[in-house]
Amino acid sequence: MSIHTDSARIRQTGRFWGKRLTIRQSEEIMAYLLISPWIIGFIVFLLGPMLASFGLSFFETNMFSWKFVGLDNYATLFSFDSTRSLFWKSLYNTAYYVLFSIPLTIGAGFFIALLLNQEIRGRSAYRVIYYLPSIIPGIAASMVWLYLFQPEFGVINWLLSLVGIEGVRWLFDTRTAKLVFVIMSVWGAGGNMLIFLAGLQGIPTELYEAAMIDGAVAWRRLRHITLPMMSPTIFFVLITNIIFSFQIFTNVYVMTGSAGGPANSTMMYVLHLYLVAFRQYRLGYASALAWVLFLILLLLTLLIFKSSSLWVYYETEVGGERA
């Protein structure tokens, strides 16, 4: 009887608004109190604005005058009339950038990670050097690249002239304007390199040792060990890169002066959204643009998740052994 009484006293250790609580209940309340700042911040600064923007997408408003238009903003958005909507042009430009920049940044980051995972002198210094460009502010990096791509006295055209190639007008030519930002995307490959490097160091060395004993050359080790074991990391990097690439803004805004390049050839989606919202003050239409971008990213993410079962290898443990 005394044992039961003592255990009950141990379980009932606190009071909340006059009510006696068990240890578990006290811990739950404390947990909610500790995470409440995040919950409040999420509701006020993320969920709340998202719901508000969804409501705005059904209005024609500049926040001073309001007019309910239903789905007219979405109808205008998907219109093929270029005088009414730059949606398709900006979506094409952004898709072009994503399609060509993603393989470059992922490939460059993976290749650099492979090199810097080797036992070489000064490896730590090289890692820092390759990672630094990815943390340089976008405005500063854009100004540097703007000088490099300058048609008359830019460094890139000067290097091309040394091998007898006529200078390119780059940002002033519709054929090469988008290519400028694709090339610039490799500048930030250091971020991917760091993630890939962490993944490479998590691969068990026993796998490589067994493969070398079996006579597997470097290419076969890369194909049959490194790539399968790195597939979850590649999967993560692919999704995050697609999300960030669709939101390209700073480079285009700084280097084209918000004009979208010649003939809107660099009018990226988020730049178009920004101009509609904060230059034209069409906040309802801009909200519709934002929600369509959200749905596009959601659909792409779901498709990649759906396809992951075909190419992503997850190491599991069965009966204490890796499978």
Side-chain angles (χ1 to χ4, degrees):
M1 185 68 178
S2 60
I3 297 177
H4 175 74
T5 303
D6 291 341
S7 62
R9 289 176 179 174
I10 292 174
R11 290 195 300 269
Q12 297 177 346
T13 59
R15 288 180 177 273
F16 185 72
W17 286 357
K19 180 181 179 181
R20 187 174 292 276
L21 302 175
T22 64
I23 293 178
R24 180 179 180 83
Q25 291 173 331
S26 300
E27 291 176 345
E28 289 177 352
I29 292 174
M30 181 58 67
Y32 282 118
L33 287 175
L34 291 173
I35 66 174
S36 60
W38 182 90
I39 294 175
I40 295 172
F42 173 78
I43 294 174
V44 173
F45 298 109
L46 187 61
L47 182 61
M50 284 183 65
L51 296 177
S53 70
F54 182 69
L56 280 175
S57 68
F58 299 104
F59 288 85
E60 182 180 314
T61 177
N62 58 4
M63 300 306 289
F64 295 101
S65 62
W66 296 76
K67 179 183 178 182
F68 181 77
V69 294
L71 297 176
D72 284 359
N73 284 326
Y74 293 94
T76 302
L77 185 149
F78 288 106
S79 172
F80 285 95
D81 184 358
S82 60
T83 61
R84 298 179 63 197
S85 173
L86 284 172
F87 169 76
W88 294 109
K89 182 68 175 179
S90 62
L91 183 60
Y92 167 76
N93 292 338
T94 307
Y96 178 98
Y97 171 78
V98 172
L99 182 63
F100 290 99
S101 67
I102 294 295
L104 280 176
T105 53
I106 292 180
F110 189 72
F111 179 72
I112 297 171
L114 286 174
L115 294 179
L116 296 184
N117 196 43
Q118 309 300 316
E119 293 293 339
I120 57 175
R121 179 179 298 178
R123 182 174 60 178
S124 299
Y126 286 123
R127 290 175 179 174
V128 172
I129 292 171
Y130 277 108
Y131 180 67
L132 277 177
S134 63
I135 61 174
I136 293 178
I139 295 177
S142 298
M143 295 304 296
V144 171
W145 281 97
L146 188 62
Y147 172 77
L148 293 175
F149 282 110
Q150 218 288 331
E152 283 77 23
F153 51 82
V155 175
I156 294 179
N157 275 354
W158 174 72
L159 292 174
L160 292 176
S161 67
L162 296 180
V163 293
I165 300 177
E166 185 179 354
V168 182
R169 292 188 57 78
W170 297 114
L171 285 170
F172 300 95
D173 191 333
T174 57
R175 296 170 298 178
T176 57
K178 287 188 287 292
L179 187 61
V180 168
F181 300 104
V182 173
I183 296 173
M184 283 181 60
S185 65
V186 186
W187 173 260
N192 292 340
M193 177 269 298
L194 197 66
I195 298 174
F196 284 134
L197 196 57
L200 288 171
Q201 294 180 350
I203 300 177
T205 56
E206 297 87 353
L207 298 177
Y208 291 109
E209 293 170 356
M212 293 175 67
I213 292 174
D214 290 338
V217 296
W219 164 249
R220 295 185 67 87
R221 295 197 299 270
L222 174 65
R223 179 182 176 185
H224 296 290
I225 298 177
T226 305
L227 289 178
M229 296 295 292
M230 286 292 293
S231 58
T233 306
I234 297 173
F235 172 70
F236 168 78
V237 171
L238 176 62
I239 290 179
T240 54
N241 275 237
I242 288 177
I243 293 173
F244 292 140
S245 296
F246 261 96
Q247 299 178 65
I248 178 175
F249 171 77
T250 303
N251 298 341
V252 184
Y253 183 81
V254 172
M255 297 178 69
T256 66
S258 75
N264 292 317
S265 58
T266 60
M267 180 61 71
M268 300 298 179
Y269 195 99
V270 176
L271 176 62
H272 175 47
L273 192 158
Y274 167 81
L275 295 176
V276 168
F278 300 107
R279 294 293 177 85
Q280 302 175 18
Y281 299 105
R282 299 166 59 193
L283 300 181
Y285 181 69
S287 297
L289 282 170
W291 273 95
V292 170
L293 177 60
F294 171 77
L295 293 176
I296 290 173
L297 292 175
L298 178 63
L299 178 61
L300 287 175
T301 303
L302 290 176
L303 288 175
I304 296 173
F305 266 97
K306 191 70 174 178
S307 68
S308 64
S309 59
L310 302 176
W311 60 277
V312 179
Y313 167 81
Y314 288 104
E315 189 178 20
T316 60
E317 292 190 2
V318 180
E321 297 180 356
R322 285 178 178 149

